[in-house]
């Protein structure tokens, strides 16, 4: 099935640093979702985006729906140890019921 | 509390022994689906259901069955499990239209020996 290109695949940062990751698609999407998954747990929805250019925040997390509608970005400011985990993007093209998922970005934080 | 629940959370079984993983949601969602997650392969959809008695294959349906007799429940059935079905399984649900915000269960880690 179709996959999104999510990058980077992994990140190793110091506590307090800002984090940026992105997802790109070859087709236009109408919906972008960002999830976080802790080890052995299910993905938890962080942010949902529905309009090109939309910028939405959830605490220290900010996500943007790219103006081309083929990409989305997630930023985490002032990272803390509990931000460790795998972040997934998911998208939906117009008329589709199915969500397409990125491969995930594994975030590791050195205290 | 709005949630998706799965049982069991962990299961070790032997090849060929039929098993069922249950999934239930209390959000009155029409759409439910099953995924498997394997290292390096991401989340792959197994089956999905748009509503009661409406199910369809996802990307990797071979070796699995599902049923949707009630809106809240969507069990995953492995009639004859094989070692290549060892994986982490997630059930998910959402409304059929509107927001498309999909919510996942806590996962079932299955090992087939």
């Amino acid at each position: 099935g179709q996959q999104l290109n999510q990058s980077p695949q992994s990140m190793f940062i110091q506590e307090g640093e800002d984090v940026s990751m992105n997802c790109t698609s070859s087709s236009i999407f109408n919906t972008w979702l960002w999830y976080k998954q802790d080890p052995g747990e299910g993905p938890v929805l962080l942010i949902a985006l529905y309009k090109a250019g939309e910028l939405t925040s959830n605490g220290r997390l900010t996500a943007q729906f790219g103006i081309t509608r083929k990409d989305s970005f997630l930023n985490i400011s002032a990272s803390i140890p509990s931000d460790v985990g795998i972040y997934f993007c998911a998208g939906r093209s117009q008329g589709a019921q199915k969500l397409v998922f990125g491969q995930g970005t594994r975030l590791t934080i050195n205290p | 509390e709005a949630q998706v629940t799965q049982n069991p959370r962990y299961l070790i079984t032997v090849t060929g022994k039929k098993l069922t993983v249950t999934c239930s949601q209390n959000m009155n969602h029409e759409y439910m689906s099953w995924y498997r997650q394997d290292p390096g392969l991401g989340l792959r959809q197994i089956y999905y259901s748009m509503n009661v008695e409406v199910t369809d294959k996802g990307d990797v349906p071979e070796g699995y069955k599902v049923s949707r007799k009630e809106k809240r429940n969507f069990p995953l059935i492995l009639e004859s499990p094989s070692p290549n079905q060892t994986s982490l399984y997630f059930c998910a649900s959402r409304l059929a239209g509107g927001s498309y915000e999909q919510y996942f269960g806590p996962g079932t880690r299955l090992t087939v020996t």
Side-chain angles (χ1 to χ4, degrees), chain B residues 17-20 63-64 76-81 85 89 110:
Chain B
K17 186 177 181 181
K18 181 180 178 180
L19 66 92
T20 299
Y64 304 95
L76 179 69
I77 303 156
L78 284 72
E79 294 268 1
S80 183
Q85 292 178 299
Y89 291 87
L110 173 65

Side-chain angles (χ1 to χ4, degrees), chain A residues 81-108:
Chain A
S82 62
D83 291 335
V84 165
I86 301 177
Y87 292 81
F88 289 98
C89 61
R92 184 189 70 89
S93 55
Q94 187 169 1
Q97 284 292 335
K98 178 181 171 181
L99 290 176
V100 179
F101 286 85
Q103 294 278 33
T105 295
R106 182 181 295 275
L107 179 62
T108 302

